[in-house]
């Protein structure tokens, strides 16, 4: 049954205990068994509210690695933007080996549920700093990045074309906020033909000298647990996002939840978390933190179905 009483505003409807319950037909993907929600009614109310406000009030903020890209394919781990650089065109075997050792040391810390974000923070700085130093020593050439992306296994999640194209067609800004390598990230979306004008990227960008050789990384380092700082200093200033008070946020790490902290006067923020790894250990914290949790879901079906519903509004 659908309770739709448009002249009573949302807080009043919430107090009265009547909310817009989405029918199974409206967003059938929310009934998939890989979809977990702490408070289904709140999710439905938020989506309904966003649909009423229309595409003109919406912005999408998304993490990149393992959120817009696949975590696994045919049982094999897919590369992050840092891992795409593990290509002999760019770095030698010794550097690749060291980067893998660092990954084996620090990745388990990144996803450890027994450590707080505060505890992880200095260790993440250590990881990123060590890896960026190694990459700079390799004198990576800018003109080789495209080939490294082509030769990599990196894949955007199934349904990516629909996701990027729908946002572009509805002029909804998409902010990709990544602690990965911006130059590689851009190349991935360019090679998949979805780097539309509504896409904005905040990430770790390489700085090349006049001969096209990597000499440093630009600006403040972004890692998994300092996205809030980037949200306040960079995202908040983006003209294209101004006045868009409804946010759909996608991430795969609890650190991604701070990506919308720079949005001024948000009305509705709906968060979707991809739970890719260490599922049983992390399930509870993800359910307590994200509005919607997608377990081992390599597709963008759920975000796409929500976007289809929101952009079907009459008042775009
Ligand atoms: N040397 C590194 C450092 C980090 N990673 C992974 O990249 C992810 C960050 O990118 P997002 O787009 O997800 O912000 C992060 O989750 C790390 O696991 C890496 O692979 N190598
Ligand atoms: Mg990620």
């Amino acid at each position: 049954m659908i309770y739709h009483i448009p002249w009573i505003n949302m807080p009043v409807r919430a107090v009265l205990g009547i909310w817009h319950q989405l029918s199974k037909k409206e967003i059938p993907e929310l009934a998939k068994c890989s979809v977990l929600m702490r408070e289904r009614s709140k999710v439905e109310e938020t989506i309904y509210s966003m649909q009423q406000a229309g595409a003109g009030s919406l912005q999408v903020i998304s993490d990149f690695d393992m959120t817009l890209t696949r975590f696994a394919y045919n049982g094999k781990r897919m590369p992050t933007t840092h891992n795409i650089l593990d290509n002999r065109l760019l770095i030698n075997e010794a550097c690749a080996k060291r980067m893998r050792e660092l990954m084996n040391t620090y990745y388990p810390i990144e996803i450890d549920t027994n450590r707080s974000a505060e505890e992880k923070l200095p260790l993440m700085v250590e990881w990123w700093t060590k890896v960026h130093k190694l990459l700079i020593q390799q004198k990576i050439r800018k003109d080789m990045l495209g080939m490294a992306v082509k030769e990599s296994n990196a894949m955007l999640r199934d349904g990516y074309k629909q996701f990027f194209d729908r946002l572009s067609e509805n002029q909804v800004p998409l902010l990709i906020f990544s602690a990965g390598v911006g130059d590689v990230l851009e190349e991935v979306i360019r090679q998949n033909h979805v780097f539309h004008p509504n896409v904005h990227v905040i990430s770790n960008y390489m700085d090349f000298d006049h001969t096209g050789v990597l000499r440093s990384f630009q600006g403040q380092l972004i890692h998994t647990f300092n996205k809030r700082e980037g949200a306040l200093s960079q995202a908040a200033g983006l003209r294209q996002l101004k006045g868009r008070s409804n946010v759909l946020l996608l991430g795969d790490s609890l650190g991604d939840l701070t990506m919308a902290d720079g949005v001024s006067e948000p009305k509705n923020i709906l968060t979707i978390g991809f739970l890719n790894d260490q599922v049983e250990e992390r399930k509870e914290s993800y359910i307590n933190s994200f509005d919607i949790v997608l377990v081992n879901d390599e597709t963008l079906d759920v975000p796409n179905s929500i976007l289809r519903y929101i952009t079907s509004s009459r008042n775009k």
Side-chain angles (χ1 to χ4, degrees):
M1 189 187 295
I2 300 173
Y3 299 102
H4 179 192
I5 310 176
W7 63 90
I8 303 180
N9 67 23
M10 185 185 140
V12 176
R13 282 188 288 135
V15 168
L16 293 175
I18 48 175
W19 61 83
H20 182 86
Q21 190 183 5
L22 300 178
S23 77
K24 288 226 166 60
K25 266 199 237 135
E26 284 173 307
I27 308 189
E29 290 78 0
L30 286 180
K32 280 172 44 169
C33 57
S34 54
V35 178
L36 307 176
M37 287 178 261
R38 187 179 63 252
E39 258 186 285
R40 177 181 284 272
S41 59
K42 185 184 158 235
V43 167
E44 294 187 347
E45 185 61 58
T46 305
I47 296 173
Y48 176 68
S49 227
M50 287 169 138
Q51 195 253 5
Q52 289 299 292
S57 300
L58 181 68
Q59 58 173 297
V60 177
I61 304 181
S62 180
D63 170 59
F64 189 71
D65 288 312
M66 310 298 121
T67 293
L68 292 181
T69 56
R70 289 185 74 118
F71 177 76
Y73 185 64
N74 284 340
K76 241 187 99 198
R77 270 296 295 269
M78 293 288 105
T80 61
T81 47
H82 278 95
N83 294 340
I84 289 173
L85 298 170
D86 183 352
N87 181 308
R88 290 304 82 78
L89 289 170
L90 304 174
I91 63 172
N92 63 29
E93 185 56 48
C95 174
K97 183 168 171 277
R98 184 70 191 126
M99 276 175 66
R100 274 180 240 131
E101 283 166 5
L102 291 170
M103 179 89 177
N104 293 338
T105 305
Y106 290 102
Y107 176 66
I109 299 173
E110 182 189 10
I111 63 165
D112 187 350
T113 44
N114 298 313
R115 298 184 196 232
S116 67
E118 291 70 36
E119 201 184 328
K120 293 176 186 184
L121 202 137
L123 298 163
M124 295 300 105
V125 174
E126 221 172 81
W127 181 18
W128 261 257
T129 308
K130 282 180 182 168
V131 167
H132 287 186
K133 204 169 154 201
L134 283 170
L135 293 172
I136 292 164
Q137 284 166 359
Q138 293 296 303
K139 302 197 185 311
I140 287 176
R141 292 199 54 85
K142 185 179 169 65
D143 56 6
M144 288 290 142
L145 292 179
M147 192 51 77
V149 169
K150 246 184 216 114
E151 290 184 358
S152 76
N153 300 323
M155 285 170 88
L156 293 167
R157 282 185 193 266
D158 289 3
Y160 75 88
K161 196 166 156 37
Q162 196 186 330
F163 176 82
F164 281 88
D165 289 355
R166 172 170 280 116
L167 293 178
S168 169
E169 280 155 19
N170 288 280
Q171 290 158 36
V172 173
L174 167 61
L175 172 63
I176 302 179
F177 199 151
S178 171
V181 182
D183 310 72
V184 178
L185 181 168
E186 285 198 5
E187 199 53 44
V188 173
I189 54 177
R190 197 173 291 121
Q191 290 187 16
N192 283 285
H193 312 290
V194 288
F195 200 171
H196 301 315
N198 63 317
V199 176
H200 311 279
V201 181
I202 295 178
S203 188
N204 297 304
Y205 277 93
M206 293 171 153
D207 185 24
F208 299 94
D209 69 15
H210 69 284
T211 67
V213 170
L214 176 64
R215 62 172 174 197
S216 61
F217 277 81
Q218 300 177 28
Q220 192 73 37
L221 174 76
I222 304 172
H223 59 77
T224 330
F225 295 102
N226 74 347
K227 290 192 174 182
R228 180 164 200 275
E229 289 166 33
L232 295 173
S233 63
Q234 297 187 58
L238 281 174
R239 185 179 41 82
Q240 296 87 341
L241 310 182
K242 291 255 151 62
R244 291 181 176 261
S245 52
N246 289 333
V247 183
L248 180 66
L249 181 148
L250 314 180
D252 75 301
S253 160
L254 295 182
D256 294 329
L257 285 161
T258 62
M259 294 189 302
D261 285 9
V263 178
S264 66
E265 298 177 36
K267 278 206 187 90
N268 298 290
I269 301 182
L270 185 73
T271 60
I272 303 182
F274 287 89
L275 179 50
N276 303 312
D277 202 5
Q278 301 273 318
V279 170
E280 285 317 312
E281 296 84 338
R282 300 200 292 166
K283 198 182 266 177
E284 195 187 337
S285 60
Y286 271 57
I287 293 174
N288 287 334
S289 308
F290 288 97
D291 298 314
I292 301 175
V293 178
L294 305 177
V295 180
N296 294 137
D297 180 351
E298 294 291 354
T299 77
L300 286 168
D301 291 354
V302 169
N304 278 340
S305 61
I306 293 171
L307 287 171
R308 184 185 60 226
Y309 180 75
I310 294 175
T311 58
S312 69
S313 154
R314 276 163 278 122
N315 41 351
K316 278 184 185 170

